[in-house]
């Protein structure tokens, strides 16, 4: 079973959101495990405005290409260049070094608690 971090909230599309300011965003271990070995990450540029529920990038693995969906609306403040340079971080440490970007949030999309996300996706807290 994939680990679900109890301190985070999640989108139905498998992105996680922390409560810091600016908000940090990544993909869940459930998503990383389903994707397999991540080999490429395309992220929005710093300064770009994203809208909750809309695509804002993509993650490519040896199995498939998956869209990233913005879990919140706002302006991109920082991207994780290490994750771009070493996409395997998304598999190795999805809740730590594998974070994707930070957002100066203006609103949130529909987010699930860790418990709700784990229950819907077969993860464990």
């Amino acid at each position: 079973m994939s680990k679900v971090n109890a301190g985070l909230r999640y989108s139905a599309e498998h992105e996680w959101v922390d409560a810091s300011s600016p908000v940090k965003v990544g993909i869940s271990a459930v998503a990383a495990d389903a994707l397999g070995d991540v080999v490429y990450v395309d992220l929005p540029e710093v300064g770009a405005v994203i809208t909750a529920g809309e695509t804002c990038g993509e993650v490519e693995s040896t199995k498939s290409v998956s869209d990233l969906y913005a879990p919140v609306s706002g302006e991109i403040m920082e991207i994780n260049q290490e994750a771009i340079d070493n996409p395997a971080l998304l598999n190795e440490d999805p809740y730590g070094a594998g974070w994707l970007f930070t957002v100066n949030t203006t609103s949130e999309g529909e987010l699930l608690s860790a418990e709700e996300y784990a229950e819907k996706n077969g993860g464990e807290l």
Side-chain angles (χ1 to χ4, degrees):
M1 245 187 219
S2 300
K3 175 93 172 106
V4 174
N5 187 321
L8 304 172
R9 292 184 298 153
Y10 299 82
S11 70
E13 292 81 19
H14 308 290
E15 288 80 20
W16 59 257
V17 176
D18 75 3
S20 62
S21 182
V23 165
K24 193 176 280 187
V25 175
I27 65 166
S28 71
V30 171
D33 291 347
L35 283 167
D37 295 332
V38 176
V39 296
Y40 177 75
V41 180
D42 180 37
L43 300 177
E45 293 183 16
V46 171
V49 175
I50 60 173
T51 302
E54 295 186 3
T55 59
C56 63
E58 63 183 29
V59 176
E60 183 177 334
S61 72
T62 54
K63 292 181 184 179
S64 66
V65 176
S66 296
D67 287 331
L68 284 174
Y69 291 88
V72 296
S73 296
E75 181 182 351
I76 301 294
M77 302 305 291
E78 180 183 9
I79 59 167
N80 184 357
Q81 189 61 47
E82 287 184 45
I84 293 170
D85 295 342
N86 181 13
L89 287 174
L90 277 70
N91 297 108
E92 296 164 7
D93 190 11
Y95 302 119
W99 64 275
L100 299 175
F101 52 85
T102 63
V103 183
N104 185 9
T105 305
T106 55
S107 66
E108 295 182 345
E110 291 186 35
L111 297 175
L112 305 169
S113 69
E115 294 79 11
E116 292 168 327
Y117 181 79
E119 187 177 310
K120 285 185 175 204
N121 294 286
E124 70 177 348
L125 293 172

